[in-house]
Amino acid sequence: MTIIVTGGAGFIGSNFIFHMMKKYPSYRIVCLDSLTYAGNLSTLESVMDQSNFRFVKADICDREAVDRLFEEERPDVIVNFAAESHVDRSIENPGVFLQTNIIGTATLMDACRKYGIERFHQVSTDEVYGDLPLDRPDLFFTEKTPLHTSSPYSSSKAAADLLTLAYYRTYGLPVTVSRCSNNYGPYQFPEKLIPLMIANALDDKPLPVYGKGENVRDWLYVEDHCKAIDLIIHKGKVGEVYNVGGHNEMRNIDIVKLICEKLGKPESLITYIADRKGHDLRYAIDPAKIHSELGWLPETKFKDGISATIEWYLDNREWWETIRSGEYKNYYEKMYGGK
């Protein structure tokens, strides 16, 4: 089987590649990534020389490049992680998000129709559902929850989801969609909450927290997410949406305080800043469907996952310090310049 993983040089995409190559050594894995600010080719260094792996630098919006890759590889499955995903950046520059997340998804699916595939899987987010009130812990997002987006980012992802399902209904394209809660783990870009707090705390820098830090998120270890997608592309029902959640809700401020405690840093580093525009209050996913249909449940307890994550950032300072310095952007040229 040949699988094209778009956005595979990013956080979740790279972890998915590692998972698939370890579990299915007979599969061919092709990573398509344009290496925008959050794509880091050095993350894939451990698999770059393997015979069943190929990296291609291209934009999913580039129809000619996408068609050429499909012509060369004749893939069986496409897993689309490629997306602009940072809410703050979407507020500053919505157009980039609309281009990549909507037009890019359509470009991929058009190639799927042209060349034929067994499955197109769209990786989405629980943010398409909007948010839940803090005083109703009994409420959860299900696959039937109406879409109610809050940011240009989540709106672009919701549009891509609807487009994906429309391609199934209109053209019969074999698609699935997964909507996941907040991921954490190795190789997460250091602008996101957990790696940002770890890196800043290690450098004794301020730990910026929006508002009072009372916003609640459902946290899932990235490896558990990868296992869920693996199940969906192999056994999930075509045309269906699957929610993937960790059943692990925590306030942002409690996450930050926990990181301070584990690193032996004072809570005085915490700095409260003006809240984000349209900041969602609470995300919480009910993963009952994927559990009952596919047997998936999160395996990693948060206390174990966060300890492993902190250890990884301690052991891989060079990886995130290179990103912070901006040097990681030159890695592709070092690897492929002049070739």
Side-chain angles (χ1 to χ4, degrees):
M1 180 181 285
T2 297
I3 301 178
I4 292 180
V5 180
T6 68
F11 165 44
I12 308 175
S14 61
N15 277 280
F16 180 72
I17 287 173
F18 300 146
H19 166 79
M20 295 298 285
M21 294 190 71
K22 182 178 179 180
K23 185 174 178 182
Y24 305 101
S26 65
Y27 285 14
R28 177 168 172 78
I29 305 294
V30 179
C31 174
L32 174 64
D33 200 298
S34 62
L35 298 179
T36 54
Y37 77 94
N40 185 357
L41 190 60
S42 66
T43 298
L44 298 170
E45 192 170 9
S46 64
V47 298
M48 290 296 287
D49 293 332
Q50 294 193 28
S51 60
N52 62 332
F53 177 78
R54 178 188 178 192
F55 176 81
V56 177
K57 184 177 186 291
D59 191 325
I60 61 170
C61 297
D62 184 340
R63 193 171 295 271
E64 185 177 319
V66 169
D67 280 2
R68 184 167 57 248
L69 180 60
F70 274 66
E71 179 72 41
E72 292 169 356
E73 294 289 348
R74 298 289 174 166
D76 302 289
V77 174
I78 312 301
V79 182
N80 183 30
F81 289 98
E84 297 286 345
S85 65
H86 197 263
V87 174
D88 290 344
R89 289 176 183 264
S90 80
I91 293 170
E92 294 298 319
N93 186 9
V96 176
F97 286 72
L98 306 183
Q99 183 71 20
T100 297
N101 298 355
I102 303 173
I103 302 303
T105 302
T107 302
L108 289 170
M109 290 193 294
D110 286 340
C112 289
R113 289 179 57 218
K114 183 176 179 180
Y115 292 95
I117 44 103
E118 294 178 14
R119 181 68 59 92
F120 175 85
H121 182 71
Q122 173 69 5
V123 181
S124 189
T125 169
D126 59 357
E127 294 189 42
V128 299
Y129 296 122
D131 61 355
L132 297 166
L134 294 175
D135 59 356
R136 289 292 306 275
D138 56 313
L139 296 180
F140 295 89
F141 297 137
T142 73
E143 290 82 359
K144 297 186 183 301
T145 301
L147 304 187
H148 189 68
T149 60
S150 305
S151 69
Y153 161 61
S154 57
S155 298
S156 67
K157 291 298 288 184
D161 289 5
L162 293 173
L163 194 62
T164 299
L165 296 171
Y167 268 60
Y168 166 64
R169 181 164 179 174
T170 303
Y171 305 114
L173 191 71
V175 309
T176 41
V177 176
S178 59
R179 295 173 179 152
C180 192
S181 56
N182 282 41
N183 280 213
Y184 69 100
Y187 297 108
Q188 188 169 25
F189 200 74
E191 70 182 357
K192 300 290 187 174
L193 178 69
I194 288 178
L196 175 65
M197 296 303 148
I198 294 171
N200 277 19
L202 287 172
D203 289 341
D204 295 308
K205 292 181 177 179
L207 309 179
V209 175
Y210 282 122
K212 297 179 180 179
E214 294 177 347
N215 305 71
V216 172
R217 299 292 180 262
D218 175 23
W219 293 93
L220 181 71
Y221 194 57
V222 65
E223 188 175 337
D224 289 334
H225 185 192
C226 294
K227 291 176 179 177
I229 295 172
D230 177 3
L231 271 173
I232 293 169
I233 63 175
H234 285 99
K235 298 181 179 178
K237 185 180 177 183
V238 167
E240 292 292 313
V241 175
Y242 293 92
N243 281 353
V244 184
H247 271 316
N248 184 77
E249 295 180 52
M250 291 190 71
R251 299 189 308 167
N252 288 347
I253 188 61
D254 294 329
I255 294 269
V256 178
K257 288 181 177 179
L258 178 63
I259 290 170
C260 287
E261 178 187 338
K262 286 188 173 292
L263 292 175
K265 298 294 183 176
E267 291 184 8
S268 58
L269 288 174
I270 298 173
T271 304
Y272 296 96
I273 60 175
D275 208 353
R276 168 191 286 162
K277 296 176 182 177
H279 201 174
D280 289 334
L281 296 175
R282 171 177 170 253
Y283 302 148
I285 273 184
D286 179 1
K289 178 177 176 179
I290 190 172
H291 174 53
S292 62
E293 291 189 12
L294 305 180
W296 179 88
L297 279 175
E299 299 172 18
T300 310
K301 294 180 180 178
F302 186 76
K303 66 179 180 64
D304 298 326
I306 194 66
S307 295
T309 300
I310 290 172
E311 282 300 314
W312 188 90
Y313 280 91
L314 283 169
D315 293 340
N316 294 273
R317 281 192 73 126
E318 184 180 1
W319 182 86
W320 54 266
E321 285 178 342
T322 301
I323 291 176
R324 285 190 148 193
S325 72
E327 271 299 304
Y328 78 104
K329 294 178 181 177
N330 299 324
Y331 187 85
Y332 180 84
E333 288 303 319
K334 291 176 187 175
M335 289 288 291
Y336 293 102
K339 293 184 182 179

